[in-house]
Structures are given as structure tokens and as C-alpha cells.
Amino acid sequence: MIMGDAEAFTREFLPLFRPVPPTRPGVCRICHSGPNNAGHTGEPWATCASCKRTTMNLYGHTPHVVPISLTTRNTQLYDVLVRERDLNGAGGRRGRGDFLAATVAHFYHRHVRCLEGLAGGPFTLVATIPSNDPELPARPLHIMWEVVEKVGALAPLWRPPILLEADTTFAPVLADRRSHRDAFRILWPGWVSGARVLLVDDLFVSGAHVQSAASALIESGAAAVVALVIARLINPASRSPHSAGIWQEACERPFSFAHCCVCDPARGTGA
Ligand SMILES: [Zn+2]
Ligand SMILES: [Zn+2]
């Protein structure tokens, strides 16, 4: 996909995206959703309860999760990602694979330095996560395979299938949004040893898939793992004191591909 095409494509569908807040008090430093407040101080925890649970008992995890957009279950973006809907634009029907590829291509082009900064240098490997949800029919080709293959900057670094489901034992664990260090295995550890890995996924809910995959990559010697996800699911009805506010802010602020949660000008100001 050519960069100009990706820009034009995503410009048409800009209202589907919601800005992701930078890390600050009240925004989880890993997943950018709302943490609880600590009972003893009343201040928000740095990490949300979900990330605490998901990163426990792993060999390792990535603290670097960069969502392109926030979403709830009642959005067109969620329909595209989860309900497998295509889009209708000025030019007629647009396939979801093309839309997601344009989204990743445009974002990566604008924020490659933000992502590489988190990794400590240029990426040497791109990985996608196989789908092993027992609720879904077996899909040999995950949508993110199609997406990464279409993104010119990522395709040359992509080694499918570097991550494999270990076996069916862990499918119910992941479906239950829980992580496990043995949920994925690495097909060619030689590719992973010393690599700076960009792990690309579609929807971040608890991070069970992303963090289990990160654990397997780190155990095989990855030097760094940065997760680039298209959307982070937010529950605006959550009892967490900060999640509803994060969603409200995301609906009030205009979305722009010009900044991400790493380079957001509001970062660090506490605003
Ligand atoms: Zn979190
Ligand atoms: Zn950025």
C-alpha cells in the first residue's frame, strides 16, 4: 500500500477513531485504560487491575502497548474489528482488510520514531498473534496476516508464523482473557534471539494475547517487544473511577494521525 493512498483512505474514515490519552495519573501506563484508586492514598494506581493480572506469572511482558485508537463495543471500529464488517465510503464498499492496512500503514509512517524509541532502536522483526478463540471457527489466516502483508514498511520484517498456539489447552485460558507463559510457542527461536520485535494485533481487551505472546518472545531472547494494536477496548460503564472519563475525553478531543499516545503534546503536563 502506497503512503498517499493510506492517508487518503484513513482521512475518509477519521471519525471512526478516538484519541488514546498519554500515560499520566489516572491512565494505565501499559494499556491506557483507567486504573483504580489506591485505597490508602486515594491516588490512582500506575497500572490497571487488568494489566496487573495479565502480566503476573509470565516469563516477561511488554510495558509498551501503543493503541492507535480507543473504542467501545458500540462503535463502527468495533464492528470492523470484531463483527468483521466492511465499510462504505465515498468510493463504495471498502474491505476491512484494506481499511485496517491503511490505518496501520498511516500510523506507522507517522510514529515509527515513537515506536522505535520504546524498542531502543529499529525493529528487526514483525510478529502477529494467531487467533485461538474456541468460540470462533478455525481461521488459518488471521486478519492481521492480511493486514501486515499489505503494509510495505512491515511486510519485509514479518516472519509468519513465528508465533504458534502451543496447543488447545490454552485456548480457553486466553478466551477467558487470562494470560499464560506457555500459551504460545516460537517456531524459529533463532529469528527472535536479540530481535527488537513489533507485535501487531487488532483489539486489546485484557492484553492476554499480547502479553502471553510477549512472554514467549522474551523467553526466546527478544531484546525488546513493542505492541502496536489498532484499538484498545474501553468500558465506559466500568466502575473504575477513570475509565468513563477517559472515554468522554476521547469523544470530545478530535482524533489526528499527527500524534499518538507516545508523542501527544498533552503528555506529562497532567492535563
Ligand atoms: Zn492497563
Ligand atoms: Zn507518536
Side-chain angles (χ1 to χ4, degrees), residues 66 68 103-118 123 198 228 255-264:
V66 180
I68 297 175
T103 301
V104 171
H106 189 180
F107 185 89
Y108 187 78
H109 177 76
R110 295 287 191 113
H111 301 288
V112 58
R113 288 204 175 45
C114 302
L115 296 162
E116 287 179 350
L118 298 174
F123 293 105
L198 183 70
L228 171 62
F255 176 89
S256 166
F257 274 92
H259 14 93
C260 72
C261 60
V262 181
C263 64
D264 191 307

Side-chain angles (χ1 to χ4, degrees), residues 28 31 33 48 51:
C28 174
C31 74
S33 77
C48 74
C51 283

Side-chain angles (χ1 to χ4, degrees), residues 220-236:
S220 284
V225 178
V226 174
L228 171 62
V229 298
I230 293 176
R232 199 288 175 239
L233 183 69
I234 292 278
N235 175 11

